[in-house]
Amino acid sequence: MTGQELTVSITTEVEAPIVQVQGVSRTLGDRLVLDDVSLDVMRGEVVVIIGPSGAGKTTLLRSLNNLEQVDSGEILIGGVPIGHRDTVTRKPVGTSELARRRREIGFVFQHFNLFPHMTAAENVWNAPVRVLGLPKGKARQDALALLERVGLADKGESRPSQLSGGQQQRVAIARALAMRPKVMLFDEPTSALDVEMVGEVLEVMRELARDQMTMVVVSHEMRFAREVADRIVVMDAGRIIEDAPPDQLFTNPRQERTKAFLSTIH
Amino acid sequence: MQFDWPFFWHSLFTPSGPFLDGLVLTIVISVVAMALALILGFVIALMRRSRYRGLRWFASIYIWVIRGTPLLVQLVLIYTGLAAAGLYQFQDVSFLGLSVKAAVQAAIVALMINESAYISEIVRAGLDSIPRGQFEAAASLGMRPSKVMRWIVGPQALRVMVPPLGNSFNGLMKTTSVLSVIGVSELFLVTQSISSATFHTFEIFIVAAIYYLALTTVWTFIQADIENRLSRMLGIEQRVRITQRLLGARRGTPATLQPHG
């Protein structure tokens, strides 16, 4: 673990990473889904996780806001362990406290998971009102502004069922942003979309990156990764096998398995 | 065949005071027992989903026992059995200026317990019908479980739950007739006493049947209205046609809220 100590000692001088994954493992049945994974993400950084299916990308991402629990290791968001009351006793965090910690983390799902019984605008302002206690009027205004930002200013009154997949996913992004998260997590945000709708969602994400949002993205969109990512993390069989800036990774991958994976994509 | 038409029309359109009292008692017991059963059934359903194994076991055994034994047996156990064993004796009480007979209290308790077991299964099915992604999306926005239930899962589950809950209530209103065995003077018992006093058994029981039918029919309208309101609230335009509901026509294609992935 000398590499780990080195990173920590360097970064503490500047600023602590906003996401810290420290030696995290997770077994499902007899399969090691996450195998001693460590990863730091700095504020404003965009990290794209790629790798073959079953590599543990989604499990890692879902662990970051405790939608999945890890068996060992620790995940800290803004220095606070997401799943444990503290790092010493490692008692599981209570439901209310977990809910509070999750406010800081936006999550965008592969299948959008919009609330079908609400309009697009309500999807966006619902949590700020119910969770943060914002006045409805203010939250509605913010929601409309956010919908405008994702290019859906005129869709506030539409139901999710009346929107296309791409539009639904953009509402989902606006919904996550409404909680003013410190980190945004994206779980294959475009893989459930028809090809012609992928671009509009990636464009919104690109803009978020430009606005210095900290993002961790599980994606198969290599062009997006190449353009937007500060770092690309390659996972295989539950491990991080490579972690490098896109230029370096695409032109000169160090690992054979990375090469093999990249060749399957294009 | 002898059918006393004048007696029949008289009993149907100008029913006696005791008959009306029985009708009112049937309605009151049904509504109160249903309301309490809804609360208890919801609690039992939540217990079944609890993190704690003890609560899950308790709920499962409760449902198993209650659904596996006849209401009539439960009723006699609660009213007569408990008293005979010296465990609990229902007493007449005054409640908001109304006197509630011991047998009526026992009846409400028994119906509530019996119905809650079935309702908890309806609630469970309703909650199970909501995709996991809805829970996860709500949780990822920082909602506590109670808020997830109140704002996200509850409203959607209600749509699935209301039709079977309505059926339950329909059944409950008719089931009140067994309360006659512990001497609750609801519609059935008063009908029976009119019958034995007048010997117009056929006529008076047809009148009773018509009143039961009227009760359940009125309820059918109320239920359709609730379902339509709920659909509007959830943004689904699908009206329940009353003829469909009354005559038990095949349900049309169910309106899906939205394909979830």
Side-chain angles (χ1 to χ4, degrees):
Chain A
M1 292 291 285
T2 48
Q4 181 65 21
E5 282 157 24
L6 189 67
T7 359
V8 171
S9 66
I10 292 171
T11 50
T12 42
E13 281 174 22
V14 195
E15 186 189 12
I18 192 156
V19 177
Q20 294 167 280
V21 180
Q22 303 170 339
V24 158
S25 294
R26 165 84 196 265
T27 340
L28 265 182
D30 52 358
R31 215 164 62 86
L32 202 52
V33 192
L34 294 178
D35 183 3
D36 193 21
V37 171
S38 293
L39 176 72
D40 284 348
V41 179
M42 304 300 297
R43 188 182 299 275
E45 224 179 0
V46 177
V47 173
V48 174
I49 306 176
I50 63 172
S53 57
K57 310 179 296 280
T58 290
T59 307
L60 175 61
L61 195 78
R62 287 166 60 86
S63 304
L64 295 184
N65 77 343
N66 208 46
L67 283 176
E68 309 265 351
Q69 285 79 43
V70 297
D71 299 330
S72 60
E74 193 67 83
I75 292 171
L76 303 146
I77 307 288
V80 181
I82 182 75
H84 300 124
R85 266 183 241 177
D86 52 75
T87 48
V88 187
T89 63
R90 292 177 55 85
K91 282 199 179 129
V93 71
T95 47
S96 298
E97 180 56 27
L98 177 60
R100 198 165 306 130
R101 291 180 191 181
R102 276 174 170 158
R103 293 178 196 170
E104 321 248 283
I105 311 164
F107 201 102
V108 175
F109 297 84
Q110 184 178 357
H111 295 292
F112 334 131
N113 296 346
L114 288 183
F115 306 132
H117 57 303
M118 300 177 181
T119 63
E122 204 177 344
N123 263 280
V124 179
W125 63 252
N126 186 62
V129 170
R130 309 301 175 207
V131 177
L132 302 178
L134 252 62
K136 252 189 208 174
K138 166 88 176 94
R140 273 212 190 98
Q141 258 179 2
D142 292 353
L144 293 180
L146 277 167
L147 285 176
E148 195 175 343
R149 193 167 153 194
V150 298
L152 294 171
D154 54 335
K155 295 291 183 191
E157 289 311 305
S158 302
R159 297 269 171 178
S161 54
Q162 300 164 321
L163 299 174
S164 73
Q167 291 171 331
Q168 287 190 55
Q169 192 61 299
R170 286 186 280 155
V171 174
I173 293 173
R175 176 177 71 175
L177 289 174
M179 294 297 287
R180 304 187 183 285
K182 290 185 186 150
V183 191
M184 285 284 283
L185 309 177
F186 295 83
D187 183 14
E188 307 203 21
T190 56
S191 51
L193 297 178
D194 294 334
V195 211
E196 68 268 24
M197 294 168 188
V198 170
E200 64 195 52
V201 172
L202 291 183
E203 187 47 42
V204 168
M205 292 170 64
R206 234 175 244 125
E207 230 154 83
L208 270 184
R210 243 174 263 144
D211 293 346
Q212 299 294 303
M213 174 60 78
T214 311
M215 295 160 67
V216 181
V217 185
V218 170
S219 181
H220 294 294
E221 297 294 331
M222 289 305 142
R223 252 189 54 201
F224 171 79
R226 198 163 194 163
E227 281 170 37
V228 179
D230 296 302
R231 280 156 56 206
I232 295 184
V233 169
V234 187
M235 287 187 75
D236 186 39
R239 294 180 149 270
I240 291 182
I241 58 169
E242 197 151 354
D243 180 347
D247 289 342
Q248 187 184 325
L249 189 104
F250 282 109
T251 52
N252 187 22
R254 277 179 299 153
Q255 300 284 334
E256 279 308 314
R257 275 181 295 173
T258 308
K259 272 183 220 166
F261 172 68
L262 290 177
S263 68
T264 62
I265 300 242
H266 279 292
Chain B
M1 186 187 94
Q2 287 195 336
F3 194 89
D4 190 337
W5 284 103
F7 176 83
F8 173 77
W9 292 122
H10 183 75
S11 304
L12 186 63
F13 290 115
T14 49
S16 62
F19 188 88
L20 283 179
D21 289 345
L23 180 69
V24 169
L25 191 59
T26 289
I27 296 171
V28 169
I29 289 177
S30 301
V31 170
V32 173
M34 185 70 187
L36 295 174
L38 278 172
I39 297 167
L40 186 58
F42 185 68
V43 171
I44 299 288
L46 288 185
M47 284 167 78
R48 276 201 85 166
R49 298 168 69 92
S50 166
R51 271 175 295 170
Y52 306 106
R53 195 189 305 162
L55 288 181
R56 291 201 301 269
W57 278 4
F58 174 82
S60 302
I61 291 171
Y62 179 89
I63 293 168
W64 171 59
V65 170
I66 301 300
R67 292 204 310 171
T69 52
L71 170 64
L72 202 50
V73 173
Q74 294 164 8
L75 190 64
V76 174
L77 272 178
I78 286 171
Y79 185 57
T80 326
L82 287 183
L87 288 171
Y88 186 77
Q89 175 110 43
F90 284 94
Q91 306 284 349
D92 296 359
V93 291
S94 261
F95 181 69
L96 299 173
L98 290 163
S99 93
V100 183
K101 292 228 161 55
V104 172
Q105 298 165 42
I108 289 174
V109 169
L111 284 175
M112 167 189 78
I113 289 175
N114 183 266
E115 202 59 39
S116 69
Y118 294 91
I119 287 177
S120 77
E121 289 290 279
I122 294 172
V123 173
R124 183 173 72 114
L127 295 179
D128 284 350
S129 75
I130 307 303
R132 233 180 77 180
Q134 292 289 305
F135 290 87
E136 290 184 347
S140 78
L141 290 165
M143 287 194 185
R144 281 184 278 122
S146 58
K147 296 207 166 167
V148 176
M149 194 59 71
R150 169 67 185 84
W151 300 109
I152 308 302
V153 173
Q156 295 183 62
L158 217 48
R159 216 184 100 71
V160 182
M161 281 155 39
V162 164
L165 285 177
N167 268 338
S168 277
F169 186 60
N170 183 307
L172 179 66
M173 283 192 292
K174 293 172 290 183
T175 305
T176 52
S177 55
V178 309
L179 301 178
S180 56
V181 296
I182 59 165
V184 176
S185 45
E186 41 62 64
L187 191 51
F188 184 86
L189 192 65
V190 294
T191 307
Q192 211 171 30
S193 53
I194 294 173
S195 157
S196 43
T198 61
F199 300 106
H200 287 306
T201 307
F202 194 45
E203 292 86 344
I204 194 67
F205 270 98
I206 286 182
V207 170
I210 290 171
Y211 273 94
Y212 277 116
L213 186 61
L215 280 186
T216 53
T217 305
V218 168
W219 170 247
T220 305
F221 280 94
I222 295 174
Q223 187 188 336
D225 184 58
I226 292 174
E227 286 178 37
N228 286 332
R229 276 165 194 269
L230 202 60
S231 293
R232 258 202 311 282
M233 193 187 88
L234 299 178
I236 306 150
E237 280 309 317
Q238 192 213 23
R239 301 197 69 83
V240 179
R241 250 174 289 136
I242 200 70
T243 50
Q244 225 178 37
R245 199 35 74 72
L246 274 177
L247 308 175
R250 187 169 64 87
R251 278 300 279 281
T253 40
T256 46
L257 285 173
Q258 178 210 349
H260 291 280

